[in-house]
Amino acid sequence: MPELGSRGISYDKGCYIGQEVVAKVKYLGHVNRRFVGLTILGSELPELKSPIRKGGRDVGYITTTLFSPGLNQPIALGFVSRTAYAPGSEVEVGNMSAVIVDLPFVKKA
């Protein structure tokens, strides 16, 4: 799935179903959405499939939510349109504010 970025796919692996589509995306174009992490400002978890909004318009949706003990705050995963993707961008999820972050959430030291 090219939306996951370079960590989510191997371009060196042998033949597999869908290889042609993946190669076309890499060499001829781009994906229309991106898999991202979000830090949720507040203490509530957003509902699954909640819309992600930026500038008053829907730009994606939530796929996973949980409370991160390591970050001591709610976090989420979701897909956003490539036009809305930028680490550090503020977005709305339901009635909550959130920030798009690079994955993984916690970097190894």
Side-chain angles (χ1 to χ4, degrees):
M1 179 176 251
E3 290 93 344
L4 298 177
S6 61
R7 292 186 312 269
I9 201 157
S10 171
Y11 294 101
D12 300 325
K13 186 177 179 180
C15 295
Y16 55 90
I17 295 172
Q19 183 176 18
E20 295 83 10
V21 174
V22 170
K24 281 183 181 179
V25 169
K26 180 178 181 183
Y27 297 109
L28 300 176
H30 55 76
V31 292
N32 291 327
R33 61 184 183 165
R34 181 114 186 231
F35 189 64
V36 299
L38 298 108
T39 53
I40 309 299
L41 306 175
S43 59
E44 294 182 37
L45 292 174
E47 291 185 30
L48 294 179
K49 299 186 180 179
S50 293
I52 300 170
R53 299 180 60 80
K54 185 174 181 179
R57 64 182 187 94
D58 288 358
V59 294
Y61 62 94
I62 296 294
T63 61
T64 307
T65 64
L66 61 102
F67 182 82
S68 168
L71 296 175
N72 197 34
Q73 73 182 109
I75 60 174
L77 297 171
F79 287 98
V80 296
S81 68
R82 68 181 177 89
T83 58
Y85 171 76
S89 293
E90 292 188 23
V91 294
E92 300 85 37
V93 179
N95 61 353
M96 298 170 265
S97 294
V99 177
I100 295 175
V101 297
D102 277 329
L103 294 174
F105 285 96
V106 179
K107 309 284 190 244
K108 291 182 180 181

